[in-house]
Amino acid sequence: MAITVMTPSIVGALSCQKDSYLQTLETEVVACDEYIPPKANQQSGKAKSKKSTDPLKVNGNSDAATQQTWMIEFADSVLFPEGGGQHTDHGFITPIGVKGMSAIPIENIQRHGLRCVHFSPTPLEVGTKVRQTVFYTRRWDLMQQHTGQHLLSAIMDGMDLPTLGWSMGQSGEMNYVELPRKPTDAEIVRIQQECNAVIRENVPVTVETPEGKGSSRLPADYDGEKGVVRFIKIGDLDYNACCGTHLKQTSHISLILLHHTQSVRGTNCRLFFTAGDRAIKMATESINGLRNIAVSLSSGAAPAEVAAKIQGLSEQVSEGRKREKRMLAELAKFEAQQIIETLQCAVGAFSHRPDDGLDFLNLILIELRETLKGKGVVVLCTGDTKSSGSLVITGKADLVEKLSAKVREIIKTAKGGGRGEKWQGKVTEWQRGEIEALKTAVEEL
């Protein structure tokens, strides 16, 4: 008995786009092919391209890219393929009437031209009946961000702040819109107020697919004549082409929170925002985090009080660093004096500072500049057993050369170089007895 293969719905007319609140759908497999990752030299036709064309890697799933994967096309889909700035849906596919097969997780759906392709870890035979289920909590979050962005951009368009582009953050992250200039603080307050006023008005959000009406924003590989061009309409405020899933009314956005700005590409500016449940969660986490910081600082929880406390601590730290710098300079003078006294009765001098770094060694060297001209040799080192450190040998050229050769014999992880009157290096990890052996080598000169 021959299997009749249904003609699949095209992207633009998928069930998830007709009814974005739909959570399950029964459909059937119309195509299933093994996914063959593109070769490195085939990426975008450019040998030096840094952007991967592998959809599994593009979505941050590098582990999945190494596993056997199948591209499955169904007669229809309740799972939205990545597009319009919106991330792919997550969900699962449950074969109907197939014994021994459990639900198949799906975390990557992509648009290939007019086709909706689901990347699956398990193959399915053509004609297999399935039930698709979307992870609706994720879908709802993505719709709140996406419809929120449309509303935000519509409000800003009326304020000489056209949206040049936007990026939807992953779950728990901020989104941003890119603008031609930085909005003033007063404008940011006004934008947020007007957005949330529209949300409270519960303006309808509808989808229109007018025949013969195209859009300059269509992807290059989407056939506008054979496909379906969708326009998202927010009351009388906004009318824009978009393939994404959207809320049905502005009240479902819940709220829009504007965050900080970031200057990019000359005068352009990114305005970060979150919407809906994501915004509420982020605000709650920020408030709780601020309270925890306030407790650790023994200050009030009001933002101004916490900021004042941190400013005071910052000033204390700055003053402490200045005092530390002065003390290290004094200590370097003392250490240099000890070395000078040692060189009066010995060819070489050794100084080991376990807790100080190369900057402190350089302070000592500054103090020894006149003393070491053509006289003796000094070995300065930092760090301790099982830790890293710095090493400097300076003085008479022949003695420096002799000791640098000795260093390579004594210290297994020492690396460095130099010539003439100075050799400098690093010790990746001091081994037991190496510091003592180096000191002995200096004393035996």
Side-chain angles (χ1 to χ4, degrees), residues 346-365:
V347 175
F350 178 83
S351 175
H352 172 228
R353 303 288 305 180
D355 301 322
D356 296 314
L358 183 60
D359 288 344
F360 181 71
L361 299 189
N362 287 330
L363 289 175
I364 296 175
L365 291 175

Side-chain angles (χ1 to χ4, degrees), residues 427-441:
V427 179
T428 305
E429 183 180 356
W430 289 102
Q431 302 300 315
R432 188 181 299 277
E434 289 182 343
I435 294 173
E436 292 78 7
L438 181 58
K439 180 182 179 183
T440 300

